[in-house]
Amino acid sequence: MIFEHWGSTDEEIKAVLPGDDLVSKPAFSATRSITISAPPTGVFPWVAQLGFGRAGWYSYDLIDNFGRKSANTLHPEWAIH
């Protein structure tokens, strides 16, 4: 199914990831990826503020964030120091 590997390269799909060894026969496995044309220092602040009650999940807000919009700006109060 195409949605199981949305945006992923063949290398990403085949890669062994941390935690893969925790479930020997998963009922479902999905690798979804995006390519970001930015250095890690430009991406990490957005990742650091992920989560419910913070910036949200940058996903489907109605489903993943109880209808609350995900942040579209960086919030210094959520930065990791």
Side-chain angles (χ1 to χ4, degrees):
M1 177 180 274
I2 192 167
F3 297 113
E4 292 175 9
H5 305 296
W6 181 88
S8 304
T9 65
D10 289 339
E11 293 80 23
E12 290 167 330
I13 293 166
K14 294 174 188 171
V16 177
L17 301 172
D20 283 354
D21 59 329
L22 298 177
V23 179
S24 60
K25 294 182 182 180
F28 177 79
S29 177
T31 301
R32 297 183 177 104
S33 308
I34 61 169
T35 299
I36 301 172
S37 297
T41 55
V43 177
F44 184 76
W46 291 93
V47 175
Q49 68 181 22
L50 274 168
F52 180 75
R54 292 169 54 95
W57 304 106
Y58 310 120
S59 182
Y60 303 103
D61 293 325
L62 184 60
I63 298 169
D64 293 338
N65 211 23
F66 296 110
R68 183 174 158 253
K69 294 281 186 196
S70 294
N72 57 15
T73 60
L74 290 173
H75 290 256
E77 68 271 23
W78 293 327
I80 294 178
H81 302 283

